[in-house]
Amino acid sequence: MLDIKRIRENLQEVNQALQKRDPNLSVDAIIEIDASRRQLLQEEEALRSQRNELTKEIGQLKKEGQNTDQIQQDTKAIADKIKSLDDRKSLLEKDQQVLLLDLPNTPHPETPVGSDESDNVELYTWGDEFKKRCSDTVLPHWEVGANLDILDPERGVKVAQSRFTLMKGPGAQLERALINFMLDLHTGQGYTEVLPPFLVNADSMIGTGQLPKFESDMFRCRDDALYLTPTAEVPVTNLYREEILNDADLPIHMTAYTPCFRREAGAPGKDTRGLIRQHQFNKVELVKLVRPEDSESEHLKLREDAERVLQQLELPYRVIELCTGDIGFSAARCYDLEVWMPSQKVYREISSCSNFLDFQARRASIKYRNKETGKPAFVHTINGSGLAVGRTVAAILENYQLNDQEVVIPQVLLPYFKNGIKSLRVQNECTVR
């Protein structure tokens, strides 16, 4: 959430920043409401002062034995006016809050300006030499997965609906191995592992920016005011909602595995096959709560920590910085990691590493006590996928494909497989090579 004081004092600057995202965005309506609310507040304060003076006068008149009926009636009339003004002010505050909650973050000054993903900026690529590992006739991951009998979308649809996929045998084991590998790697990088609830309440969804803007994308429980978590970012960030941390507590680095649930599945007809866009998928998340002065360096370090997963798996990828027209609702600055998918000869997103500055912290009221001033201040929040597990499985099935009947298991994952298994082979067999 944007700071209303910042909006009030820097109206033109905030409008210009928001219009880098979308030319139609503006805070003018918020300022109009704020001006009306502040006018009512001034009137209310003047009436309270007047009522206080009359109350003192009533006390003095009673001491003198004089009649106070009329002045008491005047005091009662003022009290009624104060109540009316307060009710109107409360309605305006609710309207202002609704508009503020629906307003995205302002982009970081260094975020590239652009209208959509075509304006994103490629920073660099990594692992180009590993592209040579593949032949020119790599099968899409869903085809080789079917050949190996480890992916079964038909049964996923049978027990749920479209965009749910069953993974079985070595496929399920590969997914589990990746989750454990990622958690082991990140805890070794200094992150504390947490296992949060997989259901979250509305306050948590508001805190990280999923509600109210994206409610239609979420799965909600019918009989409880709970949502299936769309990403571990939601429960993990909200662990500290409405708390004031000590300066010595920061930075806080956390990692968590959760299944994720989202109705949103991209453009119609796009990525309808395979593991790229699913309503349910596994993900390992990285979340940081940091001091404002450290957020830029901590953001870059988090991106490097996510990159380390791809590097150890020897999966080619590139890093892009998202432009103002493509960054997420809550983000001020965002880097995407995109893994190479040889069957299509394109890079596909596998992690978004975002710096939200104090946007989420204001919504969730996460503060720390600044040791310099002794006063509470908002933390900065940062998060990124480390990584999306299903997409990592897809990348392995394509980048480690020997042929249409065999996929090699990455070296770093071998300790997570039993009995010396080194590859996945057709007919649901895993054999030592």
Side-chain angles (χ1 to χ4, degrees):
M1 181 186 297
L2 298 184
D3 181 7
I4 185 62
K5 182 180 179 182
R6 175 193 170 198
I7 295 174
R8 189 186 304 130
E9 295 177 355
N10 302 278
L11 175 59
Q12 184 176 1
E13 173 200 312
V14 173
N15 267 335
Q16 288 175 346
L18 286 171
Q19 285 161 11
K20 290 178 181 178
R21 276 182 171 269
D22 181 344
N24 297 314
L25 285 174
S26 168
V27 294
D28 292 349
I30 293 173
I31 285 298
E32 289 177 11
I33 291 175
D34 188 61
S36 298
R37 184 191 64 82
R38 287 163 64 82
Q39 178 62 39
L40 292 177
L41 182 61
Q42 290 178 1
E43 293 177 21
E44 186 178 330
E45 289 174 347
L47 287 172
R48 289 184 188 278
S49 177
Q50 185 179 350
R51 184 180 63 180
N52 290 341
E53 291 299 320
L54 290 177
T55 300
K56 292 178 183 178
E57 188 175 345
I58 288 171
Q60 185 62 38
L61 290 173
K62 284 185 175 180
K63 285 182 181 180
E64 297 172 359
Q66 298 187 42
N67 185 285
T68 61
D69 290 350
Q70 183 58 52
I71 196 168
Q72 284 182 318
Q73 289 180 14
D74 293 343
T75 303
K76 174 65 168 57
I78 290 173
D80 291 341
K81 289 180 181 179
I82 291 173
K83 176 64 168 58
S84 176
L85 289 174
D86 195 53
D87 289 344
R88 290 165 58 194
K89 181 165 64 71
S90 294
L91 289 174
L92 288 174
E93 287 172 348
K94 289 179 181 178
D95 290 343
Q96 179 175 281
Q97 185 76 351
V98 168
L99 291 177
L100 284 170
L101 287 174
D102 205 42
L103 195 68
N105 202 353
T106 50
H108 187 281
E110 294 184 27
T111 294
V113 177
S115 58
D116 55 39
E117 63 181 16
S118 65
D119 295 316
N120 293 339
V121 178
E122 180 181 297
L123 301 181
Y124 56 86
T125 63
W126 183 94
D128 288 349
E129 67 273 20
F130 296 117
K131 292 181 181 179
K132 301 175 183 177
R133 184 169 47 206
C134 303
S135 70
D136 293 331
T137 57
V138 174
L139 290 180
H141 67 275
W142 59 86
E143 290 188 21
V144 72
N147 289 351
L148 297 171
D149 196 28
I150 62 174
L151 300 182
D152 193 338
E154 289 77 14
R155 284 188 170 85
V157 172
K158 180 194 292 187
V159 300
Q161 64 177 38
S162 62
R163 296 192 187 273
F164 287 86
T165 295
L166 171 71
M167 302 191 69
K168 59 184 179 179
Q173 192 176 356
L174 176 59
E175 183 110 356
R176 177 160 49 89
L178 281 166
I179 292 168
N180 288 329
F181 162 67
M182 292 175 190
L183 289 173
D184 287 346
L185 178 62
H186 296 318
T187 53
Q189 292 167 329
Y191 292 82
T192 298
E193 182 180 350
V194 298
L195 185 62
F198 298 162
L199 296 175
V200 293
N201 57 35
D203 286 343
S204 294
M205 297 284 269
I206 290 170
T208 43
Q210 279 72 24
L211 291 183
K213 182 77 171 178
F214 304 104
E215 183 163 16
S216 62
D217 294 344
M218 307 304 156
F219 286 96
R220 182 174 182 176
C221 298
R222 184 183 65 183
D223 297 325
D224 300 281
L226 294 171
Y227 296 81
L228 278 68
T229 183
T231 166
E233 167 197 348
V234 178
V236 175
T237 304
N238 278 278
L239 293 177
Y240 294 94
R241 189 177 73 242
E242 298 173 358
E243 292 187 28
I244 300 177
L245 303 165
N246 295 319
D247 181 86
D249 295 330
L250 299 178
I252 295 173
H253 296 175
M254 296 171 284
T255 185
Y257 151 73
T258 63
C260 305
F261 303 88
R262 300 181 192 172
R263 293 185 187 277
E264 188 278 324
K270 183 179 180 181
D271 296 326
T272 57
R273 305 181 70 183
L275 300 172
I276 299 300
R277 291 192 182 275
Q278 296 281 288
H279 289 314
Q280 175 186 324
F281 56 96
N282 291 317
K283 186 150 67 81
V284 172
E285 194 78 0
L286 304 174
V287 176
K288 292 184 175 184
L289 308 182
V290 304
R291 300 178 189 88
E293 62 267 27
D294 297 331
S295 69
E296 277 296 293
S297 61
E298 290 277 11
H299 185 201
L300 289 173
K301 180 62 169 57
L302 181 141
R303 190 190 81 194
E304 292 170 359
D305 292 338
E307 287 184 64
R308 189 71 62 193
V309 180
L310 292 165
Q311 291 170 5
Q312 292 207 12
L313 290 170
E314 296 183 352
L315 291 172
Y317 68 92
R318 70 173 180 174
V319 179
I320 63 170
E321 182 164 10
L322 271 58
C323 72
T324 54
D326 198 35
I327 55 175
F329 176 83
S330 299
R333 194 171 193 181
C334 181
Y335 301 104
D336 271 7
L337 309 184
E338 297 185 341
V339 69
W340 177 248
M341 301 297 289
S343 73
Q344 298 173 302
K345 292 183 169 49
V346 295
Y347 289 98
R348 301 304 302 268
E349 178 200 334
I350 200 165
S351 173
S352 285
C353 302
S354 301
N355 189 345
F356 306 103
L357 304 181
D358 64 358
F359 186 83
Q360 290 182 331
R362 286 184 180 278
R363 296 170 75 101
S365 189
I366 307 172
K367 301 179 181 180
Y368 76 108
R369 196 165 297 280
N370 186 305
K371 67 179 180 181
E372 302 295 332
T373 66
K375 298 179 180 179
F378 290 105
V379 303
H380 282 195
T381 62
I382 304 165
N383 85 270
S385 304
L387 303 166
V389 181
R391 294 188 178 196
T392 309
V393 170
I396 289 172
L397 292 179
E398 295 196 10
N399 283 276
Y400 278 86
Q401 195 177 128
L402 288 182
N403 50 56
D404 62 357
Q405 299 188 19
E406 186 171 10
V407 174
V408 174
I409 297 169
Q411 189 73 27
V412 292
L413 296 182
L414 293 180
Y416 298 92
F417 285 80
K418 298 178 181 179
N419 303 322
I421 294 170
K422 294 186 178 180
S423 70
L424 312 178
R425 300 189 70 181
V426 77
Q427 298 177 346
N428 199 24
E429 292 180 356
C430 295
T431 62
V432 179
R433 287 184 55 82

